[in-house]
Amino acid sequence: VGLAVNTMSEASTAQEKPATSHKDAVRTVYPILFALGLSHMLNDTMQSLIPSIYPLLQAGFGLSFLQVGLITFTNQLTASLLQPLVGMYTDKRPHPYSLVLGMVMTFVGIILLASAGHYWTVLIAVAFVGAGSSVFHPEASRITYMASGGRRGLGQSIFQLGGNAGSSLGPLLAALIITPFGRQNVAWFSLLAIPAIWFMFVSGRWYKQHRLLAAQRQKASLAPALVPRPNCSPRRVKFSLVILLTLVFSKNFYLASMTSYFTFYLMRKFGVDKQFAQIYLFVFLFSVALGTLLGGPLGDRIGRKYVIWISILGAAPFTLALPYVGLVATGVLAVIIGVVIASAFSAIIIYAQELVPGKIGMIAGLFFGFAFGMGGLGAAVLGWLADRTSIEFVYQVCAFLPLLGLLTVLLPNIELARRPAK
């Protein structure tokens, strides 16, 4: 609570004292980055409650694995389809306070989920949560990009760390509060929307003022803003985006197997109870948060392409071993996989934004949306596969997905000369 209050105070101060020089304009505005990270954490904590209560939903409504997968598919489809459109729109007409609208939609979805009396109501609830996410991510990514100054990888990692930390809290909260006392207790977590809305309001106010000052500086200089562009043909840029999206596919399909079915896998294979399995899921998701924190700054230092190489392909030996080890080794491998595979996303986002400069919202919306969409599609497809084979077979198949990291060799070397602002 103290950290939240301090961050809100610092963020308010940051927007009250805007940049007045070029040096200030490119500095890293940490209060805003932390405010965005905290709002992302609160947002994704609420969203992560959805997969965390799948065992309760399956038992309460008598669902098949396919129906469980369709819950994730519905949630992430609404996010994936809308995010690129929201990003394209806000690239042309930025709406700093649209972040608040996204959080209100998430709030409504959580209330509906807690009180749902039918499977179709559950689908409507998770669709609201997905729509809220589609409004939040593109504009929040744009503000992160601007507030990060020269440390773009670091800024994206702080933003993503908040989201992944929130995602890791869902299973823990489900194990401690929701599973023992009932699904209706999900409603209490809708209160997290209140501080999140304040963080988003402060960040949006800073962004609005920052844009006005940037426009004034550009007008005073009587020169258009120059955006560095990679030395690639439009065809090469499009091809590279397809490669990056394929890598996101491999990463998020595998993550879908973990977030949606890891608890079922542990319960079926090792005979553990729901709460124990949810603790294991929390540990995995916490390792994902740690990997996210490492990936962005590492990309700033050694280059995005190298981080993508290490992250996607580097996870393969561990995913290939996971289906064939015992309970303790499963936990150890899950932590390693989470750290390694999660370090890629920040690097992929910044790499793509440097491929297509000037389209920050569109790129963020495209990649966040595609990531959500692949996660949702993966959950549905893998649920169908689990119904027809076994949950163990799902992990044997998914183990090969990180090998798609070999496609990284086809990406161009576009690393720009970056020196963080001092």
Side-chain angles (χ1 to χ4, degrees):
V1 173
L3 174 61
V5 171
N6 289 337
T7 302
M8 285 189 290
S9 176
E10 292 172 359
S12 296
T13 302
Q15 65 85 27
E16 289 168 1
K17 296 180 179 180
T20 56
S21 67
H22 177 71
K23 181 178 179 180
D24 291 334
V26 298
R27 69 187 176 90
T28 303
V29 188
Y30 286 103
I32 295 300
L33 291 179
F34 289 138
L36 289 166
L38 285 169
S39 64
H40 200 187
M41 182 186 73
L42 295 170
N43 179 76
D44 283 24
T45 296
M46 289 186 283
Q47 291 194 39
S48 68
L49 293 173
I50 297 172
S52 300
I53 63 171
Y54 280 169
L56 295 178
L57 294 173
Q58 186 185 48
F61 295 106
L63 306 179
S64 66
F65 281 121
L66 176 59
Q67 288 175 308
V68 171
L70 286 175
I71 296 175
T72 303
F73 179 73
T74 301
N75 171 241
Q76 299 190 353
L77 182 67
T78 53
S80 64
L81 291 180
L82 292 175
Q83 283 201 51
L85 299 177
V86 172
M88 291 174 66
Y89 178 77
T90 55
D91 275 334
K92 297 178 180 179
R93 298 178 180 84
H95 290 277
Y97 299 117
S98 63
L99 301 176
V100 175
L101 173 62
M103 182 51 59
V104 170
M105 298 176 75
T106 300
F107 172 84
V108 171
I110 293 297
I111 294 295
L112 282 176
L113 181 63
S115 58
H118 193 277
Y119 177 65
W120 293 107
T121 310
V122 172
L123 295 181
I124 293 172
V126 300
F128 264 95
V129 176
S133 179
S134 71
V135 175
F136 170 73
H137 284 98
E139 199 70 341
S141 293
R142 183 198 313 282
I143 301 175
T144 298
Y145 188 92
M146 291 187 171
S148 63
R151 297 179 173 90
R152 293 172 184 171
L154 174 63
Q156 189 66 34
S157 282
I158 292 174
F159 178 66
Q160 282 298 109
L161 174 64
N164 287 332
S167 296
S168 71
L169 288 174
L172 182 62
L173 295 172
L176 297 177
I177 299 173
I178 300 172
T179 298
F181 303 107
R183 176 170 56 91
Q184 67 275 9
N185 286 281
V186 170
W188 288 106
F189 296 100
S190 65
L191 297 177
L192 295 176
I194 296 174
I197 286 173
W198 173 244
F199 285 133
M200 293 174 182
F201 178 79
V202 169
S203 301
R205 188 166 55 177
W206 174 87
Y207 174 47
K208 182 178 180 180
Q209 194 168 46
H210 181 84
R211 289 186 65 250
L212 289 173
L213 289 168
Q216 290 172 2
R217 284 192 298 270
Q218 183 177 341
K219 184 177 180 180
S221 68
L222 300 177
L226 297 178
V227 181
R229 296 185 176 275
N231 188 24
C232 296
S233 66
R235 184 177 179 181
R236 186 72 186 276
V237 168
K238 292 177 183 177
F239 176 75
S240 299
L241 290 176
V242 171
I243 295 297
L244 291 172
L245 289 171
T246 303
L247 297 176
V248 171
F249 156 79
S250 70
K251 170 185 176 292
N252 283 81
F253 239 69
Y254 189 85
L255 287 179
S257 74
M258 298 295 283
T259 56
S260 295
Y261 301 112
F262 194 42
T263 53
F264 296 113
Y265 174 76
L266 295 170
M267 291 162 62
R268 291 287 181 90
K269 184 172 182 178
F270 302 110
V272 300
D273 61 23
K274 294 177 184 176
Q275 285 181 288
F276 187 92
Q278 286 168 333
I279 295 296
Y280 257 54
L281 179 59
F282 161 73
V283 171
F284 168 75
L285 292 174
F286 184 82
S287 70
V288 169
L290 178 60
T292 300
L293 179 62
L294 297 174
L298 193 60
D300 285 337
R301 182 173 296 273
I302 69 172
R304 326 272 181 220
K305 185 174 177 179
Y306 292 111
V307 172
I308 296 170
W309 262 115
I310 296 168
S311 177
I312 304 295
L313 189 60
F318 308 105
T319 61
L320 289 167
L322 183 72
Y324 307 102
V325 299
L327 179 60
V328 174
T330 295
V332 173
L333 288 177
V335 169
I336 296 172
I337 292 168
V339 170
V340 174
I341 205 168
S343 61
F345 196 65
S346 295
I348 289 174
I349 288 285
I350 301 300
Y351 185 97
Q353 287 174 337
E354 290 175 352
L355 268 176
V356 190
K359 301 292 183 181
I360 300 170
M362 185 194 75
I363 290 297
L366 174 64
F367 278 84
F368 275 110
F370 189 77
F372 280 121
M374 288 300 100
L377 180 62
V381 170
L382 296 176
W384 172 86
L385 183 62
D387 282 335
R388 280 153 180 77
T389 56
S390 68
I391 197 70
E392 292 87 352
F393 182 71
V394 166
Y395 284 87
Q396 293 170 6
V397 171
C398 289
F400 293 92
L401 286 171
L403 293 177
L404 287 173
L406 290 168
L407 294 174
T408 306
V409 72
L410 301 176
L411 293 174
N413 294 316
I414 64 162
E415 297 297 334
L416 305 174
R418 303 183 210 81
R419 291 291 180 184
K422 299 287 186 182

